[in-house]
Amino acid sequence: MRPIRIALTKGRLEEKTVEMLERIGYDCTSVREKGRKLIFPIGDGSLELVLAKAADVVTYVETGVCDMGVVGKDTIMEKGGTFYEIADLGFGKCRFALASVKGTDVYRGYHTRTIASKYMNVAKSFFESKNMDINLVKIEGSVELAPVLGLADAIVDIVETGTTLKENGLEVLEDICPVSARLIVNIASMKLRKAEIEEFLQKVEADVKNRG
């Protein structure tokens, strides 16, 4: 039987996840010395890590080519998918927020507001929950520019410290929801490899508790 395969979001979550895996007893030397490789056996070879972009982590887990994945709640909310979300890993913490130029009141008046975001589904859902019609504009780069340049009334974006907003004359108008790294599992894998996944999950949950 092949190793349990875990898709891992490249970058900041990759580093934090590798640190977690080392804490719970897995030798991650192969990942630390990865070069250009994207697939790594770790520990005794019973686990295999696959490095991928966040949205692809969801795809790999959903289709079953990977059994588990570590991905931000922001990606899960935006992309959706069919899988089990089984643990909040407690790192990669930030939040979704509505932000704009200081003093902006997005809710006053009757004209339709224009909202810029990379996260179109999250923004749409947020304003639907408030029964507000909006015009959505997708921005791929620095979304903070949109209100400054007059392209949008406000933005929906990930906020960590708020420093970037402040430096561009923006402020948080409303927090939408907290975001952190999550462990997700393929539905079929949860049945077929239940014992292995639950053993791994117990180690992860103990680590989360110790850090908490």
Side-chain angles (χ1 to χ4, degrees):
M1 193 176 282
R2 70 163 170 78
I4 289 280
R5 196 175 280 154
I6 305 176
L8 183 53
T9 302
K10 289 179 183 177
R12 198 161 49 96
L13 292 189
E14 171 192 342
E15 177 62 29
K16 292 287 185 185
T17 307
V18 169
E19 287 172 8
M20 178 190 75
L21 290 169
E22 288 174 336
R23 282 195 303 272
I24 63 178
Y26 292 95
D27 180 354
C28 294
T29 306
S30 61
V31 192
R32 295 287 189 192
E33 300 170 355
K34 63 177 179 269
R36 292 182 178 274
K37 285 184 181 176
L38 295 171
I39 302 176
F40 312 90
I42 63 165
D44 60 1
S46 61
L47 279 187
E48 195 171 66
L49 295 185
V50 177
L51 294 185
K53 287 191 171 182
D56 295 337
V57 168
V58 172
T59 301
Y60 292 156
V61 172
E62 192 172 28
T63 57
V65 296
C66 291
D67 303 290
M68 293 188 277
V70 175
V71 69
K73 182 68 175 177
D74 53 321
T75 304
I76 294 171
M77 289 175 66
E78 180 64 19
K79 187 173 170 62
T82 307
F83 47 80
Y84 295 122
E85 183 183 326
I86 61 170
D88 181 343
L89 300 177
F91 54 76
K93 288 185 177 179
C94 49
R95 67 196 195 274
F96 271 120
L98 177 68
S100 189
V101 176
K102 287 183 179 180
T104 301
D105 187 343
V106 173
Y107 303 121
R108 185 177 293 172
Y110 294 102
H111 73 278
T112 303
R113 301 291 184 177
T114 298
I115 307 297
S117 186
K118 298 173 192 172
Y119 301 93
M120 303 293 274
N121 292 327
V122 173
K124 185 169 178 281
S125 295
F126 174 66
F127 283 98
E128 279 180 353
S129 74
K130 295 182 176 292
N131 294 315
M132 282 181 66
D133 289 327
I134 55 166
N135 295 320
L136 273 174
V137 178
K138 187 170 176 67
I139 299 289
E140 295 288 357
S142 302
V143 74
E144 297 86 4
L145 282 170
V148 176
L149 295 175
L151 176 66
D153 297 293
I155 61 173
V156 168
D157 201 19
I158 291 287
V159 177
E160 195 166 357
T161 62
T163 304
T164 306
L165 292 177
K166 284 176 189 170
E167 288 179 353
N168 287 283
L170 307 182
E171 65 180 3
V172 171
L173 304 180
E174 187 174 342
D175 285 335
I176 295 173
C177 68
V179 170
S180 58
R182 306 299 166 100
L183 182 64
I184 61 174
V185 180
N186 172 266
I187 289 172
S189 297
M190 195 69 189
K191 293 171 186 166
L192 298 171
R193 309 195 70 169
K194 191 170 188 282
E196 295 160 278
I197 288 169
E198 285 186 347
E199 183 186 350
F200 179 77
L201 179 60
Q202 283 173 0
K203 293 177 185 176
V204 168
E205 286 177 336
D207 179 72
V208 172
K209 193 174 180 182
N210 290 338
R211 283 184 284 119

